Amino acid sequence: MLKTLSLFPRLPFSSSRRFPNFATMSVEAVPLCPKFVPVEQSKIISISSSEAYKFSVVSYNILAQVFVKSSYFPHSPKPCLRWKARSKAVLTVLGDFDADFLCLQELDEYDSFYRGNMERLGYSSIYIQRSGQKRDGCGIFYKLTSAELVLQENIEYNDLVKSIDGETNSRVMDSAVSVAGGNANAEETQGSTEKGAEKDRGDPNDPRVRLKRDCVGIMAAFRLENHSQHLIIIANTHLYWDPKWADVKLAQAKYLLSRLDQFKTLVSEKFECIPSVILTGDFNSTPGDQVYNYLISGSSSSESRVECPDELPIPLSSVYACTRGEPAFTNCTPGFTGTLDYIFFSPSGCIQPVSFLELPDEDSPSVAGGLPNYQHPSDHLPIGAEFQVHAQ
């Protein structure tokens, strides 16, 4: 029997914040492949139906090889940082997920390695490289037996600069730009330490400089290969990293949701349907900060609401928040340990999460000493969810 899933955010499993023991490092040279845990097994009301169609989504910042240097990760064993070992480990983990959709951030070596190897595993893919001279980007891999790509758009956050230069009249872009332009001394938020951070970023008080961060996103509409032929929009992004530039992250988040809303309208009109929306990525923002609160503030069940002059275009809920609680961390290094990665979805009733990808806890030997290590080939942990499609 189908029951309603509460979308009210839940606290993480652990009520007291502890951090991994960095004194010891796991040396077992076998990558861990986490499994999906049904929602009912986590003591949440069961909503699963064995007859309903389900599909799975995994989001993973795989750590671009261009950033893998011993000076950035002195705590990591050198053998597990080498490309041959890391690429094999990442590919093993991705293949073992057997997910219908894989949303990857910090994806480099796309043409030379990932695209061909993932094709051999039954995946097609779309990819956008970061702006400027950056070598990594965001990609969405999808099983050809699970979904058909019907429409795609890229997001380049550098486009926000055009609003300052008068090249666009978009009200949404103007609103996003005003956030960055008026908050050069904005409240600091959490985020990971950038690998290979820019040494000279220009005048930080110039909004053009602040907004030109070479960050990108990608979004696409897919038709599920099942009897319902339901359309879903999956977006994948990687927001700016610097904890001191919270205004830039918020401007990017506002632009992201506006573009996502426009894309949803386009898909709705073109295919005469109401697509479901799933948003994944590394948002470089922790639960409760400005970006996180903004993204979920359109949800009627959200505890956290932010002052927003513009009506939020798409209500979103976090998969982990409404099932097991946000994890204690998805990024784990001696310099920073916290949650930066999320899967959001539109709680429209057409799709609901029925399982989530398990994550190690603070005491797990697999994260002792910090990441990456032999068991986790990235400094981030993968997150994921299985969704059930309801009949429309």
Side-chain angles (χ1 to χ4, degrees):
M1 180 178 179
L2 188 66
K3 297 182 181 180
T4 301
L5 173 70
S6 170
L7 298 179
F8 196 80
R10 297 171 182 270
L11 294 174
F13 280 143
S14 175
S15 59
S16 60
R17 184 65 182 276
R18 291 177 294 169
F19 295 93
N21 177 14
F22 293 110
T24 60
M25 168 76 72
S26 175
V27 296
E28 185 180 355
V30 178
L32 286 182
C33 301
K35 306 301 179 183
F36 285 95
V37 179
V39 170
E40 57 266 29
Q41 289 186 11
S42 62
K43 300 180 181 180
I44 308 297
I45 297 176
S46 173
I47 63 170
S48 181
S49 170
S50 59
E51 298 179 357
Y53 180 78
K54 302 180 184 71
F55 66 92
S56 53
V57 179
V58 168
S59 179
Y60 192 12
N61 180 326
I62 61 173
L63 177 58
Q65 189 63 24
V66 69
F67 300 139
V68 179
K69 299 179 181 179
S70 296
S71 58
Y72 299 158
F73 301 101
H75 58 280
S76 298
K78 289 184 179 180
C80 71
L81 297 179
R82 295 176 185 138
W83 169 243
K84 185 175 181 180
R86 279 196 68 244
S87 60
K88 182 179 178 180
V90 171
L91 197 63
T92 297
V93 173
L94 296 180
D96 282 2
F97 285 139
D98 196 30
D100 298 298
F101 298 92
L102 293 163
C103 299
L104 306 184
Q105 306 89 41
E106 287 198 27
L107 174 60
D108 62 355
E109 306 296 343
Y110 172 72
D111 289 314
S112 63
F113 181 78
Y114 284 106
R115 182 166 63 176
N117 279 292
M118 293 302 290
E119 283 177 355
R120 284 185 276 277
L121 294 177
Y123 290 88
S124 188
S125 58
I126 54 177
Y127 173 72
I128 178 174
Q129 187 170 325
R130 290 175 65 190
S131 311
Q133 301 300 313
K134 307 300 188 298
R135 290 172 52 186
D136 65 302
C138 295
I140 299 176
F141 294 81
Y142 59 98
K143 275 188 179 180
L144 290 170
T145 56
S146 301
E148 173 193 1
L149 175 67
V150 296
L151 203 61
Q152 170 194 344
E153 282 190 9
N154 295 336
I155 301 172
E156 299 211 26
Y157 296 108
N158 284 357
D159 288 345
L160 289 167
V161 178
K162 296 178 181 178
S163 181
I164 297 175
D165 294 333
E167 296 180 27
T168 176
N169 294 319
S170 168
R171 178 182 60 84
V172 176
M173 287 183 69
D174 290 344
S175 175
V177 167
S178 69
V179 173
N183 292 278
N185 298 313
E187 170 189 356
E188 180 172 332
T189 64
Q190 294 297 314
S192 61
T193 302
E194 171 73 344
K195 289 81 71 171
E198 306 98 321
K199 293 182 180 180
D200 182 10
R201 293 184 289 188
D203 181 4
N205 294 313
D206 184 344
R208 294 176 182 82
V209 172
R210 296 186 73 81
L211 290 170
K212 194 173 183 180
R213 298 294 99 212
D214 299 331
C215 299
V216 296
I218 191 168
M219 52 191 174
F222 297 92
R223 180 178 287 109
L224 297 177
E225 296 289 1
N226 72 314
H227 66 278
S228 73
Q229 296 286 289
H230 183 64
L231 259 68
I232 59 171
I233 292 173
I234 295 184
N236 180 28
T237 194
H238 191 178
L239 300 189
Y240 190 52
W241 67 273
D242 196 333
K244 296 180 179 179
W245 291 37
D247 56 310
V248 173
K249 299 182 192 183
L250 187 57
Q252 291 178 343
K254 289 170 70 70
Y255 184 52
L256 169 64
L257 286 200
S258 70
R259 286 290 306 278
L260 195 53
D261 183 53
Q262 292 168 8
F263 187 64
K264 180 182 178 183
T265 300
L266 176 63
V267 173
S268 299
E269 294 174 350
K270 185 177 180 66
F271 299 100
E272 298 181 342
C273 67
I274 302 177
S276 300
V277 176
I278 296 172
L279 171 60
T280 72
D282 176 355
F283 294 85
N284 272 311
S285 305
T286 56
D289 75 7
Q290 288 181 323
V291 169
Y292 181 89
N293 285 348
Y294 174 77
L295 290 171
I296 67 168
S297 62
S299 172
S300 60
S301 61
S302 171
E303 279 186 308
S304 304
R305 302 193 69 85
V306 293
E307 292 296 328
C308 242
D310 305 313
E311 182 180 351
L312 278 173
I314 298 180
L316 295 171
S317 293
S318 166
V319 165
Y320 280 84
C322 70
T323 54
R324 53 143 278 176
E326 297 292 9
F329 59 92
T330 62
N331 179 238
C332 181
T333 65
F336 173 82
T337 297
T339 297
L340 304 175
D341 308 271
Y342 306 95
I343 297 177
F344 299 101
F345 71 105
S346 55
S348 61
C350 293
I351 61 170
Q352 285 184 310
V354 294
S355 68
F356 53 82
L357 201 64
E358 63 181 351
L359 291 160
D361 58 29
E362 298 94 327
D363 298 322
S364 172
S366 74
V367 298
L371 308 182
N373 59 23
Y374 289 110
Q375 294 176 300
H376 300 284
S378 172
D379 56 338
H380 286 249
L381 296 170
I383 58 175
E386 185 180 38
F387 292 88
Q388 178 176 290
V389 180
H390 301 174
Q392 290 181 288

